[in-house]
Amino acid sequence: MIVKPMPPEADRRSQDIQQSFLSLSEHLPDLIARLDRDGRYCYANSALAGLAGRPAAQMVGHRLGEVLAQRTSPAIPDDFIALREGIPRVFATGETVEREAGLPLPGDERIFNVRLVPERDESGAIVNVLLIGRDITQRKRAEDALRNSERDLNEAQRVAKIGNWRFDLRFNSVTWSAELYRMFGVQAADFARTYEAFLSRIHPDDRVRVAQTSAQTLADGKSFQLEYRIVLPGGEIRTIREIGNAIAGPEGQITGLFGTAQDITESRRGADALRASERRFARAEEQLGQARAELTRVARAMLVGELATSIAHEVNQPLTCVVTNAEAALRWLAADPPNFVQASTALERIIRDGNRAAAVVARIRILLKNGKSTKTRFKLDIAISDLLALMEGEARRRQVELQVRIAPDLPAVIADRVQLQQVLLNLTVNAFDALDNVQDRPRQVEIEAEPVGPASVQVCVRDSGVGLAGPPWDRVFDAFYTTKPDGLGMGLTISRTIIESHGGRLWAQPNQGPGVSFRFTLPIDDQITA
Ligand SMILES: Nc1ncnc2c1ncn2[C@@H]1O[C@H](COP(=O)(O)OP(=O)(O)O)[C@@H](O)[C@H]1O
Ligand SMILES: [Mg+2]
């Protein structure tokens, strides 16, 4: 190397510069070294020496990477080999070479940003290379963490179909997360990132509402929730739910909006389909209810039809009396002198018998009534004796011995009286029917009502009839199951529905002897036991 003689003034200045360079370099946390053409250390600062774990003087003359390799061992790190290759390039081109270099220190991987800078003499010739290494490990880790969390967020948004956005009022700039671009079906390059560009993607019918909401929030700072439709570039329409807030600047002034947007098209479609099917179900249920009510009415009418003979008898008897008494009254009045006392006795009998006939008709009308279920609180014995008034004549006509036993102090129930009478009527008529062909034994039907357990009453209708055709006994409750030529097979089905809708049970059981017992329970009204 040619060393030109320097004038003393310049020499001192140069020494000063050299001195300040050294003290600066010794105090910087950055790694600083001077390397010759072969990549050998001419100088290393204390930060670098500290990292190498050697006094700086011992590093001089060693090639770049050799000393550090002794710490990382066994081989020289690849990044340092690459750095070495940068040195001839600096000499050849005079340009700064910049590289990242990882130093795999045991238990403490460090990353450096390394710059190789040409060092020139007064003539401008490159004489050395200055190495400046800055520890960027922290920054790198922070960057990695940020990248990871961005990736996680992006992935989470993709899965949840939720994107976030930001609108900066000051620059009229809109920032979208990747999921928002996906949601709107827009490439980042095709989106002008202004509020107007965002509005233009919204369904024309919803645009004004969205703009108004944004304006409102910019004015009052209140958060908002909004649903609107967007039109994808292909024309597809999707529904977005948006939740947004105002962004406030340091002095509280509103500088923009921030929020999330979720594509709810599918969940909305699902909800619509669910609602539609619920509506269909409700309609079907309603139709079923109507059909059931109609069947109930038919079954009830048939039951009463079966009783027609008895009913006619019940009504005829008082009517015959009415006629007889009316004739008597006329006779007493036509007598000379008229016997008013006898006439009025006859007239009172007419009134009594008329009322009797009217009561029978009223009972039948109640039974045939086609109304909604109305539950009242009453004692079962009343319902039973009411029914007996209709059944006794029928029992006589069919030559059936009808016995009724009701336990004293029977607790009251809350029930639909007409429906319960319908159940009793059906069970009793079935029992009568079962006795039709029985000649070899007493023809008996017993109705019993008694409390069972603390919370229910039980009614049993027992007959000595033909019995059930065989197990399963429950088959008789199937709809349209009948063994009668004119049977409908709905009586027991309806009866069971009625009892179960009252919270009770209805079942059949063959007797020890001939015949079968139908039993039902009803929960008693708590009021009375309390
Ligand atoms: N007490 C009974 N004894 C024998 N069989 C019965 C009795 N009650 C009901 N059944 C049987 O159950 C069937 C269904 O009864 P139900 O549902 O009332 O319809 P229906 O009386 O119109 O036949 C009857 O046809 C009969 O075969
Ligand atoms: Mg029946």
Side-chain angles (χ1 to χ4, degrees), residues 419-461:
Q419 287 187 350
L420 275 193
Q421 285 178 337
Q422 193 192 337
V423 173
L424 281 164
L425 186 64
N426 187 49
L427 296 181
T428 314
V429 170
N430 278 351
F432 287 178
D433 290 346
L435 284 163
D436 270 352
N437 297 320
V438 172
Q439 308 297 346
D440 59 340
R441 56 180 181 265
R443 297 156 61 89
Q444 288 172 330
V445 173
E446 289 163 26
I447 302 177
E448 278 171 13
E450 59 187 0
V452 286
S456 45
V457 290
Q458 180 178 298
V459 175
C460 175
V461 179

Side-chain angles (χ1 to χ4, degrees), residues 77-117:
D78 288 348
D79 287 351
F80 281 77
I81 304 277
L83 267 181
R84 274 183 192 172
E85 286 157 8
I87 294 170
R89 251 185 62 204
V90 176
F91 274 96
T93 65
E95 279 167 8
T96 297
V97 169
E98 190 168 351
R99 279 236 156 75
E100 262 176 31
L103 188 60
L105 294 177
D108 180 23
E109 161 110 47
R110 318 243 84 205
I111 301 162
F112 292 88
N113 170 272
V114 181
R115 291 158 66 87
L116 299 172
V117 183

Side-chain angles (χ1 to χ4, degrees), residues 131-371:
L131 175 149
I132 305 163
R134 172 157 292 180
D135 189 337
I136 54 166
T137 315
Q138 296 287 3
R139 201 187 80 202
K140 274 292 202 197
R141 285 194 189 137
E143 278 174 7
D144 279 355
L146 190 65
R147 239 195 316 278
N148 283 341
S149 80
E150 258 173 14
R151 205 193 43 225
D152 289 353
L153 182 68
N154 192 11
E155 182 62 13
Q157 294 202 344
R158 202 180 56 75
V159 172
K161 290 195 191 312
I162 296 182
N164 65 288
W165 51 264
R166 176 186 285 273
F167 166 55
D168 193 323
L169 184 61
R170 296 161 302 181
F171 312 111
N172 181 23
S173 71
V174 170
T175 314
W176 278 358
S177 73
E179 180 57 23
L180 255 157
Y181 281 103
R182 273 194 291 272
M183 217 179 272
F184 279 67
V186 174
Q187 297 293 320
D190 300 336
F191 181 53
R193 297 168 208 230
T194 62
Y195 189 75
E196 290 71 27
F198 156 68
L199 267 190
S200 72
R201 307 274 165 190
I202 292 173
H203 192 286
D205 292 350
D206 294 348
R207 215 172 272 161
V208 173
R209 194 163 49 85
V210 172
Q212 276 169 350
T213 307
S214 306
Q216 182 68 31
T217 306
L218 288 172
D220 63 17
K222 289 192 186 135
S223 58
F224 67 89
Q225 267 206 47
L226 188 64
E227 277 179 24
Y228 56 82
R229 290 159 298 168
I230 58 172
V231 184
L232 267 42
E236 190 189 340
I237 292 174
R238 304 198 62 92
T239 307
I240 304 290
R241 174 181 295 149
E242 195 167 277
I243 300 173
N245 277 307
I247 310 171
E251 278 124 48
Q253 80 282 20
I254 293 173
T255 59
L257 304 173
F258 174 85
T260 58
Q262 185 178 17
D263 186 335
I264 57 164
T265 314
E266 263 76 44
S267 60
R268 180 47 73 76
R269 262 182 215 147
D272 285 351
L274 190 66
R275 262 198 299 279
S277 84
E278 269 171 4
R279 267 199 304 275
R280 271 199 303 277
F281 182 68
R283 222 175 20 245
E285 223 176 19
E286 196 184 309
Q287 283 165 354
L288 192 67
Q290 280 166 7
R292 197 182 287 139
E294 180 58 18
L295 260 177
T296 309
R297 205 184 58 71
V298 170
R300 213 184 297 157
M302 284 188 66
L303 263 178
V304 175
E306 286 188 55
L307 298 178
T309 324
S310 315
I311 291 166
H313 177 74
E314 295 289 323
V315 181
N316 263 336
Q317 209 183 11
L319 286 182
T320 314
C321 295
V322 166
V323 173
T324 315
N325 280 304
E327 282 166 2
L330 281 176
R331 268 200 314 277
W332 291 121
L333 289 174
D336 191 16
N339 188 336
F340 292 111
V341 179
Q342 293 290 357
S344 68
T345 307
L347 287 172
E348 271 158 21
R349 286 200 193 107
I350 291 176
I351 293 172
R352 188 200 60 199
D353 291 334
N355 282 341
R356 234 175 77 199
V360 174
V361 172
R363 272 196 209 101
I364 297 160
R365 280 186 50 195
I366 286 178
L367 268 176
L368 284 172
K369 200 174 70 178
N370 198 20

